Amino acid sequence: MLHAVTLTYLKQPDAIASHLDAHKQWLVRGFNEGKILFAGPLSNHAGGYILFQGDSVSEIQNYLQDDPLIMHNIVDAEIIGIEPTLCAQGFPAKWAEKARFI
């Protein structure tokens, strides 16, 4: 199952900047472990977005607890599960097992 995570900044830019490198290292670990599919800042500069692949919301919640931005109360995280039902042909089937490919 896919999980959309929206991170919303709770602190000012200087507090964010002091933990951003550690956050990026945490993201790299997630990519290497196959948990994170993509990540990036929101265009409105209010936070970030991460797309996870995992079996359950609790798995994603547990992984998020190691994010330095969460550990230092710099962001709040909202997790929403997604079960794709329609996908483009190039989308990896392993991330949308129940989907119909168009």
Side-chain angles (χ1 to χ4, degrees), residues 44-78:
N44 65 2
H45 309 287
Y49 184 88
I50 307 169
L51 185 63
F52 280 89
Q53 188 282 321
D55 293 331
S56 67
V57 171
S58 62
E59 177 185 343
I60 305 310
Q61 288 170 328
N62 288 338
Y63 191 76
L64 284 168
Q65 295 310 305
D66 290 336
D67 181 350
L69 296 181
I70 300 252
M71 292 169 63
H72 295 281
N73 296 314
I74 294 170
V75 297
D76 183 41
E78 178 185 18

Side-chain angles (χ1 to χ4, degrees), residues 6 8 20 28-29 32 37 45 53 59 63 73 84 93 102:
T6 303
T8 303
L20 201 53
V28 168
R29 190 180 98 214
N32 290 338
L37 306 179
H45 309 287
Q53 188 282 321
E59 177 185 343
Y63 191 76
N73 296 314
I102 307 298

Side-chain angles (χ1 to χ4, degrees), residues 83-102:
E83 187 68 53
T85 57
L86 294 174
C87 293
Q89 283 296 328
F91 194 81
K94 68 180 180 179
W95 298 331
E97 295 174 353
K98 298 178 183 177
R100 184 173 71 130
F101 288 82
I102 307 298

